[in-house]
Amino acid sequence: MPRPSCPRCQRPLRHCLCALIPELHSRTRVLILQHPSEVGHALNTARLAALGLRNAELRVGEVFEDLPQLLAQPDYRACLLFPGEESVALSAYAPADKPLLLVVPDGTWRKARKLLYLNPVLAALPRVSLGTVAPSRYRLRKAPQEGALSTIEAIAAALDVLEAPQRFDALLRPFDVLIEGQIAAMGQDVFIRNHQR
């Protein structure tokens, strides 16, 4: 029988993170497109990000039929947070009349690329990237490349740039507790053997 879980954060009730989830306001709108394979993942950081931001929305799927309508919001300029040769560093974006609608694919790199492939309107968006970032705090997954971050870390880093001087460190508080809880559950020896670099 499955353990009872919190309907909001979807963590087991004994490990509910809701008390740590902030309610942060941002001028930037964040649209997280989550691959279905991530929904039941114990370390679902996209859900935590969406819960912690007032101006955010989380959608789950592979093909998003209503994506053109979601992107055509007159008060925002849509862009895709995804690295690549054609991406522009967010630091190059100066505050303008229209804030950004930051579209963030959530999944493994392979699944995120699949979301772009299955949603051509997404792949056609102007791309932005973070540039140089601090090392990931996500100590339970091996990063596929230098500078790779979890979804919640990437969103917090992007908002730190776009909304400066406002900071979004509070968004990472439940994430840090989640990671520490997973390490405690597996035991220090297992963590060191399998995850320490």
Side-chain angles (χ1 to χ4, degrees), residues 49-103:
L51 290 172
L53 294 169
R54 295 293 305 262
N55 197 10
E57 182 178 357
L58 173 67
R59 293 290 189 97
V60 178
E62 279 193 321
V63 176
F64 299 91
E65 301 291 343
D66 62 343
L67 198 52
Q69 292 81 15
L70 289 171
L71 299 176
Q73 296 186 34
D75 296 334
Y76 294 95
R77 294 177 295 139
C79 63
L80 178 70
L81 182 61
F82 202 81
E85 289 178 16
E86 64 279 5
S87 70
V88 175
L90 274 176
S91 58
Y93 275 79
D97 291 340
K98 280 191 181 182
L100 293 184
L101 166 60
L102 193 63
V103 182

Side-chain angles (χ1 to χ4, degrees), residues 129-148:
S129 59
L130 297 172
T132 306
V133 292
S136 176
R137 293 147 78 158
Y138 202 168
R139 298 174 291 149
L140 296 175
R141 279 190 178 174
K142 290 191 172 112
Q145 60 205 31
E146 193 70 31

